[in-house]
Amino acid sequence: MMEKVSLETRQHFIATDLFSLADQLLPFLQSCHPQAWEQRGKHVRKSEWTLRQTVAHLVSACEYYLLTLQCALQHETLTIQGFSQRKDLAPLNAQEILRRQHLQPAELIAALHQALVNTATLAQQATEDQLCCSVVVPVFNRSVSVIELLEMQLVHPGIVHASQVAVPANKEPLWKCYEQDYMHRMLDRFFRLMTLIYWPERGGAIHTTIQFLVAGPAGGQWYLSITPSGCDFSAGKVPGPQVTLWAANADTLCQFFTGQLALPQAILGRKLLLWGNLIFARKMSNLFSPI
């Protein structure tokens, strides 16, 4: 189980992990064959972007998060025309990918690396008061603190799209390179992300808890608590959860979360086990979706 850490320790790990992610992504993407950049990945639920489009999206998102963070530290709010609510995300993504279609892979890689390094430097230098500043990001269901947004800058390229940039190039997902403690921290951050992209409007009057049990060296125990007002997460076990999901290891859970592994296939292969309120479990993907 991940122990409660101080704000200073959390800040240290965020900065260190951001520098590490930037340094891992750089050679990972540079080694992709030129033809791979026009290949599409595999997604069990929907059509997939090409590698070029995925990296363009990562550049867009990382630069947006960085600008938002820089504005927050100056007590300013970043405003983007046409992006004021969650339903605006899909057209914004398409627009920003199109805006970068002229960039060569080397230029996209350099821009992504620079945005991550600049974010890591910001994380290092932020004061305690700045880390606690509130930030409004339209894609999330509530305002977040600066330190929470720093964590999302890690988990978005490091988990959410880590397989998407690997499959077109016939590579293993980026998370396969993570050390045990690093992977555990990334899972913890991913569960925080889940609370931010939960849709209270879709959940309605639901009161429920979802337990996640992840085996293996980087695993742990986490649970989500859902109420009509939103969603929270904690490390550990909760008594009497309505749904329990067991994963054989962190890799399996990440594949499932990122749409690279279908639930029936995973259950048949005994990579995932699911028990409890299965009717509710089938609704989960709709409740925890960025769009």
Side-chain angles (χ1 to χ4, degrees):
M1 178 191 307
M2 189 171 183
E3 296 180 359
K4 203 81 170 176
V5 297
S6 67
L7 188 68
E8 183 179 7
T9 301
R10 191 173 161 195
Q11 177 184 14
H12 165 75
F13 279 127
I14 289 171
T16 301
D17 291 351
L18 276 165
F19 279 123
S20 177
L21 181 62
D23 289 343
Q24 289 181 75
L25 267 170
L26 186 64
F28 185 92
L29 292 173
Q30 286 175 333
S31 65
C32 293
H33 192 278
Q35 292 181 348
W37 286 84
E38 308 309 325
Q39 298 299 311
R40 298 183 184 274
K42 178 195 75 172
H43 198 294
V44 299
R45 288 192 296 267
K46 59 184 180 182
S47 61
E48 190 80 346
W49 288 328
T50 64
L51 176 58
R52 182 191 293 271
Q53 290 171 322
T54 301
V55 178
H57 168 67
L58 291 179
V59 172
S60 169
C62 282
E63 289 179 345
Y64 168 74
Y65 282 163
L66 177 59
L67 281 172
T68 301
L69 288 162
Q70 291 169 334
C71 287
L73 298 193
Q74 298 298 320
H75 303 288
E76 299 172 355
T77 300
L78 177 66
T79 302
I80 294 180
Q81 186 176 2
F83 185 42
S84 60
Q85 52 190 331
R86 295 179 73 177
K87 72 176 186 179
D88 298 329
L89 181 60
L92 179 68
N93 284 342
Q95 170 189 306
E96 291 300 307
I97 289 171
L98 185 63
R99 195 162 68 87
R100 291 168 175 82
Q101 66 177 348
H102 67 285
L103 296 177
Q104 295 301 308
E107 295 174 295
L108 291 170
I109 294 168
L112 178 58
H113 183 264
Q114 192 62 60
L116 288 171
V117 168
N118 289 348
T119 306
T121 303
L122 183 151
Q124 276 185 326
Q125 298 174 351
T127 66
E128 183 174 333
D129 286 344
Q130 287 176 325
L131 291 172
C132 296
C133 285
S134 182
V135 187
V136 175
V137 179
V139 71
F140 299 143
N141 56 29
R142 62 169 174 83
S143 61
V144 297
S145 63
V146 163
I147 198 166
E148 285 180 311
L149 189 54
L150 285 166
E151 289 182 319
M152 297 310 103
Q153 181 75 306
L154 265 164
V155 80
H156 184 252
I159 295 290
V160 175
H161 293 289
S163 183
Q164 223 172 348
V165 297
V167 173
N170 292 315
K171 291 174 174 284
E172 294 278 12
L174 193 63
W175 61 68
K176 290 267 197 172
C177 307
Y178 300 161
E179 295 181 355
Q180 173 184 328
D181 290 345
Y182 187 108
M183 183 73 246
H184 186 85
R185 290 193 296 273
M186 291 296 270
L187 287 181
D188 198 75
R189 292 161 183 151
F190 189 89
F191 285 111
R192 186 182 304 280
L193 172 63
M194 288 185 72
T195 71
L196 297 176
I197 61 172
Y198 172 72
W199 287 85
E201 305 94 323
R202 297 176 184 175
I206 289 176
H207 284 79
T208 194
T209 51
I210 308 169
Q211 178 77 65
F212 295 88
L213 306 173
V214 187
Q221 301 169 345
W222 293 267
Y223 63 92
L224 300 177
S225 302
I226 299 174
T227 67
S229 61
C231 180
D232 290 312
F233 91 108
S234 295
K237 295 188 75 172
V238 62
Q242 277 68 54
V243 177
T244 299
L245 179 71
W246 174 90
N249 48 51
D251 174 45
T252 296
L253 189 70
C254 288
Q255 287 188 54
F256 174 63
F257 277 155
T258 58
Q260 304 300 315
L261 182 63
L263 183 59
Q265 172 192 348
I267 291 175
L268 286 173
R270 299 192 66 79
K271 293 181 177 181
L272 291 175
L273 297 177
L274 183 68
W275 61 93
N277 185 341
L278 301 185
I279 295 176
F280 171 77
R282 285 197 290 269
K283 301 177 182 177
M284 283 175 54
S285 62
N286 185 52
L287 296 177
F288 296 96
S289 169
I291 56 177

